[in-house]
Amino acid sequence: MSEKNTNHESAEQTVVHDNIGHTDSILEETMKEFDPQNNSGEEMTIENDIDLDTFKARIAELEGEVKQAKETTARANAEAYNAQKRMEQEADKSKKFALQKFAKELLDIVDNLERAMENANANDPVAEGVQLTHKALLALLTKNGVEAVDPQGEKFNADFHEAVGIDADAEADTVGTVLQKGYSLNGRLLRPAMVRVGQ
């Protein structure tokens, strides 16, 4: 064997391992050191310059940020929910009142048919056709949420009635003569009734 190899082997034999004399692992020894049953506190475990108040302050700060983030998220969710509800209500309203202008224009036709029926001869076959047309048109309007407002004998209400004269035979503030019926669309006034009111 060469002299070089001999020197290498002797160098390996002289290495001293610090943990040879230990019966427990480093982890077990560390756990024992921090165990209150083994360490009464007389021995110093770890010397350090850690300031616990700094960590406590940082934890409080992070907790505050988490709380604020949760509140912001809750507010955003509530706003999104409210916006969705508003959009649904607006869409529903748009559906209900999309026919408003069209329905209002049809009321002129209803008025003309009613005038024709009032002035028609009862025996005239054309009058029967006018009546059937009037009836079919009213049925169509009712089906789409249009209803007649005939306030004869009711208390005068400026929100639903338009006073165009005085009825001497009617009681005070009471609708006497209805010159033109009013109409509503899904509960919203489409056209006020033209009336004469008692004084």
Side-chain angles (χ1 to χ4, degrees):
M1 190 179 285
S2 67
E3 186 180 341
K4 190 174 182 182
N5 287 341
T6 307
N7 291 339
H8 180 67
E9 286 175 4
S10 61
E12 283 182 352
Q13 290 172 355
T14 59
V15 174
V16 178
H17 296 285
D18 291 338
N19 63 350
I20 289 175
H22 293 274
T23 56
D24 297 325
S25 68
I26 299 294
L27 177 60
E28 289 171 337
E29 286 188 3
T30 306
M31 289 176 70
K32 283 180 182 176
E33 184 179 356
F34 283 96
D35 188 347
Q37 293 179 350
N38 297 325
N39 186 350
S40 62
E42 294 172 358
E43 297 177 7
M44 193 77 137
T45 53
I46 298 175
E47 292 185 8
N48 60 71
D49 295 328
I50 295 172
D51 183 6
L52 289 178
D53 290 336
T54 303
F55 283 101
K56 286 177 183 175
R58 181 60 179 149
I59 288 168
E61 184 182 340
L62 292 172
E63 285 175 345
E65 288 177 7
V66 169
K67 185 180 177 184
Q68 187 177 1
K70 283 181 179 177
E71 288 173 357
T72 303
T73 304
R75 271 196 303 273
N77 288 340
E79 286 173 10
Y81 177 79
N82 291 336
Q84 182 184 356
K85 283 292 173 192
R86 277 195 302 274
M87 285 169 57
E88 287 173 2
Q89 287 170 356
E90 288 298 322
D92 190 44
K93 220 183 261 185
S94 296
K95 270 192 242 170
K96 276 186 177 179
F97 302 112
L99 295 174
Q100 184 168 344
K101 186 178 177 185
F102 179 66
K104 196 169 183 179
E105 289 176 358
L106 285 178
L107 296 181
D108 291 335
I109 298 169
V110 172
D111 293 339
N112 289 334
L113 289 172
E114 287 176 353
R115 286 188 201 102
M117 288 188 306
E118 284 171 9
N119 297 313
N121 187 337
N123 298 323
D124 188 352
V126 175
E128 188 179 348
V130 171
Q131 286 176 349
L132 291 172
T133 304
H134 177 259
K135 186 178 178 181
L137 184 55
L138 285 181
L140 180 66
L141 289 170
T142 302
K143 184 180 174 183
N144 287 279
V146 178
E147 292 181 5
V149 177
D150 191 356
Q152 181 129 21
E154 296 179 4
K155 282 283 182 189
F156 176 74
N157 185 341
D159 293 333
F160 298 100
H161 313 142
E162 183 182 347
V164 293
I166 296 169
D167 190 331
D169 298 328
E171 294 178 16
D173 293 327
T174 303
V175 174
T177 309
V178 178
L179 301 174
Q180 187 182 64
K181 285 187 287 188
Y183 288 88
S184 64
L185 174 62
N186 292 314
R188 179 192 285 180
L189 186 66
L190 190 60
R191 185 182 79 180
M194 291 175 62
V195 299
R196 288 197 181 109
V197 186
Q199 196 170 21

